[in-house]
Short mmCIF file of all heavy atoms in Angstrom, two decimals:
data_model
loop_
_atom_site.label_atom_id
_atom_site.label_comp_id
_atom_site.label_asym_id
_atom_site.label_seq_id
_atom_site.Cartn_x
_atom_site.Cartn_y
_atom_site.Cartn_z
N GLY J 43 -192.58 76.64 -210.75
CA GLY J 43 -193.85 76.37 -211.44
C GLY J 43 -194.41 77.65 -212.04
O GLY J 43 -195.61 77.80 -212.22
N ALA J 45 -194.44 78.93 -214.92
CA ALA J 45 -195.12 78.93 -216.22
C ALA J 45 -196.53 78.36 -216.09
O ALA J 45 -197.27 78.31 -217.07
CB ALA J 45 -194.32 78.13 -217.24
N GLY J 46 -196.90 77.91 -214.91
CA GLY J 46 -198.21 77.28 -214.71
C GLY J 46 -199.29 78.32 -214.49
O GLY J 46 -199.03 79.53 -214.43
N GLY J 47 -200.51 77.83 -214.37
CA GLY J 47 -201.66 78.72 -214.24
C GLY J 47 -201.53 79.68 -213.07
O GLY J 47 -201.64 80.90 -213.23
N ILE J 48 -201.28 79.14 -211.89
CA ILE J 48 -201.18 80.00 -210.70
C ILE J 48 -199.80 80.66 -210.64
O ILE J 48 -199.66 81.84 -210.30
CB ILE J 48 -201.47 79.21 -209.40
CG1 ILE J 48 -202.85 78.55 -209.47
CG2 ILE J 48 -201.38 80.12 -208.19
CD1 ILE J 48 -203.16 77.61 -208.30
N ASP J 67 -189.18 76.89 -214.11
CA ASP J 67 -190.18 75.90 -214.56
C ASP J 67 -189.48 74.86 -215.43
O ASP J 67 -188.44 75.13 -216.05
CB ASP J 67 -191.30 76.58 -215.36
CG ASP J 67 -192.58 75.74 -215.39
OD1 ASP J 67 -192.64 74.76 -216.17
OD2 ASP J 67 -193.50 76.05 -214.61
N LEU J 68 -190.09 73.70 -215.48
CA LEU J 68 -189.61 72.64 -216.37
C LEU J 68 -189.68 73.09 -217.83
O LEU J 68 -188.82 72.75 -218.64
CB LEU J 68 -190.52 71.41 -216.16
CG LEU J 68 -190.15 70.10 -216.82
CD1 LEU J 68 -188.78 69.63 -216.35
CD2 LEU J 68 -191.20 69.04 -216.47
N ALA J 90 -185.63 74.32 -215.35
CA ALA J 90 -185.02 73.31 -214.49
C ALA J 90 -186.04 72.25 -214.12
O ALA J 90 -187.24 72.54 -214.01
CB ALA J 90 -184.48 73.96 -213.20
N ASN J 91 -185.52 71.04 -213.92
CA ASN J 91 -186.36 69.95 -213.43
C ASN J 91 -186.15 69.83 -211.93
O ASN J 91 -185.09 69.38 -211.47
CB ASN J 91 -186.01 68.64 -214.13
CG ASN J 91 -186.92 67.51 -213.69
OD1 ASN J 91 -187.73 67.67 -212.77
ND2 ASN J 91 -186.81 66.38 -214.35
N LEU J 92 -187.14 70.19 -211.15
CA LEU J 92 -186.99 70.22 -209.69
C LEU J 92 -187.01 68.83 -209.07
O LEU J 92 -186.75 68.67 -207.89
CB LEU J 92 -188.09 71.09 -209.07
CG LEU J 92 -188.03 72.57 -209.50
CD1 LEU J 92 -189.25 73.31 -209.01
CD2 LEU J 92 -186.76 73.24 -208.96
N LEU J 118 -194.42 76.42 -206.21
CA LEU J 118 -195.71 75.96 -206.76
C LEU J 118 -195.60 74.70 -207.60
O LEU J 118 -196.60 74.02 -207.81
CB LEU J 118 -196.33 77.03 -207.66
CG LEU J 118 -196.74 78.35 -207.02
CD1 LEU J 118 -195.75 79.43 -207.38
CD2 LEU J 118 -198.13 78.74 -207.46
N ALA J 119 -194.41 74.43 -208.14
CA ALA J 119 -194.29 73.32 -209.10
C ALA J 119 -194.83 72.04 -208.49
O ALA J 119 -194.46 71.66 -207.38
CB ALA J 119 -192.84 73.14 -209.52
N ALA J 120 -195.72 71.39 -209.21
CA ALA J 120 -196.31 70.13 -208.73
C ALA J 120 -196.93 69.43 -209.93
O ALA J 120 -197.16 70.05 -210.97
CB ALA J 120 -197.36 70.40 -207.67
N VAL J 121 -197.18 68.15 -209.75
CA VAL J 121 -197.84 67.38 -210.81
C VAL J 121 -199.01 66.59 -210.21
O VAL J 121 -198.95 66.15 -209.07
CB VAL J 121 -196.86 66.40 -211.51
CG1 VAL J 121 -195.96 67.13 -212.48
CG2 VAL J 121 -196.05 65.60 -210.51
N LEU J 142 -191.77 64.96 -206.77
CA LEU J 142 -191.80 66.41 -206.96
C LEU J 142 -192.61 67.09 -205.84
O LEU J 142 -192.14 68.04 -205.21
CB LEU J 142 -192.42 66.76 -208.33
CG LEU J 142 -192.51 68.27 -208.60
CD1 LEU J 142 -191.13 68.91 -208.70
CD2 LEU J 142 -193.31 68.55 -209.86
N PHE J 170 -197.03 75.25 -201.46
CA PHE J 170 -198.39 75.04 -201.96
C PHE J 170 -198.94 73.69 -201.53
O PHE J 170 -198.42 72.64 -201.88
CB PHE J 170 -198.44 75.19 -203.49
CG PHE J 170 -198.88 76.57 -203.89
CD1 PHE J 170 -198.05 77.66 -203.66
CD2 PHE J 170 -200.13 76.79 -204.44
CE1 PHE J 170 -198.46 78.96 -203.99
CE2 PHE J 170 -200.56 78.07 -204.77
CZ PHE J 170 -199.73 79.15 -204.55
N SER J 171 -200.05 73.75 -200.79
CA SER J 171 -200.82 72.56 -200.47
C SER J 171 -202.07 72.60 -201.34
O SER J 171 -202.03 73.10 -202.48
CB SER J 171 -201.12 72.51 -198.97
OG SER J 171 -201.75 71.29 -198.66
N SER J 172 -203.18 72.11 -200.84
CA SER J 172 -204.43 72.01 -201.60
C SER J 172 -205.55 71.76 -200.61
O SER J 172 -205.30 71.29 -199.49
CB SER J 172 -204.33 70.83 -202.57
OG SER J 172 -205.62 70.42 -202.98
N TYR J 186 -201.52 62.37 -204.98
CA TYR J 186 -201.16 63.80 -205.02
C TYR J 186 -201.46 64.46 -203.66
O TYR J 186 -200.64 65.19 -203.12
CB TYR J 186 -201.98 64.44 -206.15
CG TYR J 186 -202.12 65.93 -206.18
CD1 TYR J 186 -201.25 66.72 -206.94
CD2 TYR J 186 -203.16 66.57 -205.51
CE1 TYR J 186 -201.41 68.10 -207.01
CE2 TYR J 186 -203.33 67.94 -205.57
CZ TYR J 186 -202.46 68.70 -206.32
OH TYR J 186 -202.62 70.06 -206.39
N LYS J 190 -199.71 66.55 -200.46
CA LYS J 190 -200.14 67.89 -200.03
C LYS J 190 -200.39 67.94 -198.52
O LYS J 190 -200.19 68.97 -197.89
CB LYS J 190 -201.38 68.32 -200.82
CG LYS J 190 -201.11 68.53 -202.32
CD LYS J 190 -200.09 69.64 -202.57
CE LYS J 190 -199.92 69.95 -204.04
NZ LYS J 190 -198.91 71.01 -204.27
N PRO J 216 -205.36 76.19 -201.83
CA PRO J 216 -206.48 76.58 -202.70
C PRO J 216 -207.43 75.39 -202.88
O PRO J 216 -207.04 74.24 -202.70
CB PRO J 216 -205.81 76.91 -204.03
CG PRO J 216 -204.34 76.91 -203.79
CD PRO J 216 -204.11 76.05 -202.59
N SER J 217 -208.66 75.71 -203.29
CA SER J 217 -209.58 74.62 -203.63
C SER J 217 -209.52 74.39 -205.14
O SER J 217 -208.68 73.62 -205.60
CB SER J 217 -211.00 74.93 -203.16
OG SER J 217 -211.45 76.15 -203.72
N PHE J 218 -210.36 75.07 -205.91
CA PHE J 218 -210.47 74.76 -207.34
C PHE J 218 -210.16 76.03 -208.15
O PHE J 218 -210.94 76.98 -208.15
CB PHE J 218 -211.88 74.24 -207.66
CG PHE J 218 -212.33 73.21 -206.65
CD1 PHE J 218 -213.36 73.48 -205.76
CD2 PHE J 218 -211.70 71.97 -206.57
CE1 PHE J 218 -213.76 72.55 -204.82
CE2 PHE J 218 -212.09 71.02 -205.63
CZ PHE J 218 -213.12 71.31 -204.75
N VAL J 219 -209.02 76.00 -208.81
CA VAL J 219 -208.54 77.19 -209.53
C VAL J 219 -208.46 76.84 -211.02
O VAL J 219 -207.95 75.77 -211.37
CB VAL J 219 -207.14 77.59 -209.03
CG1 VAL J 219 -206.74 78.96 -209.57
CG2 VAL J 219 -207.06 77.57 -207.52
N THR J 221 -207.00 76.25 -213.99
CA THR J 221 -205.65 76.09 -214.56
C THR J 221 -205.62 74.76 -215.32
O THR J 221 -206.49 73.91 -215.12
CB THR J 221 -204.56 76.01 -213.46
OG1 THR J 221 -204.69 74.75 -212.78
CG2 THR J 221 -204.64 77.15 -212.46
N PRO J 222 -204.55 74.55 -216.12
CA PRO J 222 -204.43 73.27 -216.83
C PRO J 222 -204.45 72.07 -215.88
O PRO J 222 -205.03 71.03 -216.18
CB PRO J 222 -203.06 73.38 -217.52
CG PRO J 222 -202.82 74.85 -217.67
CD PRO J 222 -203.49 75.49 -216.49
N MET J 223 -203.86 72.22 -214.68
CA MET J 223 -203.81 71.08 -213.76
C MET J 223 -205.22 70.67 -213.32
O MET J 223 -205.56 69.49 -213.32
CB MET J 223 -202.98 71.41 -212.52
CG MET J 223 -202.95 70.25 -211.52
SD MET J 223 -202.14 70.64 -209.98
CE MET J 223 -200.42 70.56 -210.45
N LEU J 224 -206.03 71.65 -212.97
CA LEU J 224 -207.38 71.31 -212.47
C LEU J 224 -208.17 70.58 -213.55
O LEU J 224 -208.88 69.62 -213.29
CB LEU J 224 -208.13 72.59 -212.05
CG LEU J 224 -209.53 72.32 -211.51
CD1 LEU J 224 -209.45 71.75 -210.10
CD2 LEU J 224 -210.39 73.58 -211.49
N1 NAD R 311 -205.36 74.44 -209.88
C1 NAD R 311 -205.93 74.08 -208.73
O1 NAD R 311 -207.16 73.96 -208.64
C2 NAD R 311 -205.07 73.83 -207.52
C3 NAD R 311 -205.74 73.55 -206.32
C4 NAD R 311 -204.99 73.32 -205.18
C5 NAD R 311 -203.61 73.41 -205.24
N2 NAD R 311 -202.98 73.69 -206.40
C6 NAD R 311 -201.52 73.77 -206.37
O2 NAD R 311 -201.12 75.01 -206.92
C7 NAD R 311 -199.83 74.87 -207.52
C8 NAD R 311 -199.87 75.38 -208.95
O3 NAD R 311 -200.80 74.59 -209.67
P1 NAD R 311 -201.39 74.99 -211.12
O4 NAD R 311 -202.83 74.65 -211.08
O5 NAD R 311 -200.95 76.36 -211.48
O6 NAD R 311 -200.68 73.87 -212.00
P2 NAD R 311 -200.07 73.92 -213.47
O7 NAD R 311 -200.04 72.52 -213.92
O8 NAD R 311 -200.79 74.94 -214.29
O9 NAD R 311 -198.60 74.45 -213.20
C9 NAD R 311 -197.59 73.64 -212.63
C10 NAD R 311 -196.26 74.07 -213.23
O10 NAD R 311 -195.23 73.24 -212.66
C11 NAD R 311 -194.31 72.92 -213.67
N3 NAD R 311 -193.59 71.69 -213.35
C12 NAD R 311 -194.09 70.42 -213.41
N4 NAD R 311 -193.12 69.54 -213.12
C13 NAD R 311 -191.99 70.25 -212.88
C14 NAD R 311 -190.67 69.89 -212.53
N5 NAD R 311 -190.31 68.61 -212.39
N6 NAD R 311 -189.76 70.88 -212.35
C15 NAD R 311 -190.12 72.18 -212.53
N7 NAD R 311 -191.36 72.57 -212.84
C16 NAD R 311 -192.29 71.62 -213.02
C17 NAD R 311 -195.15 72.75 -214.93
O11 NAD R 311 -194.39 72.87 -216.11
C18 NAD R 311 -196.20 73.84 -214.75
O12 NAD R 311 -195.82 75.03 -215.42
C19 NAD R 311 -199.47 73.39 -207.41
O13 NAD R 311 -198.66 73.18 -206.29
C20 NAD R 311 -200.83 72.74 -207.21
O14 NAD R 311 -200.70 71.51 -206.56
C21 NAD R 311 -203.69 73.91 -207.55
#
Side-chain angles (χ1 to χ4, degrees):
I48 303 173
D67 202 282
L68 188 60
N91 183 352
L92 298 172
L118 295 105
V121 283
L142 179 66
F170 263 69
S171 186
S172 160
Y186 163 94
K190 294 298 186 181
S217 57
F218 314 111
V219 191
T221 71
M223 178 186 283
L224 181 75

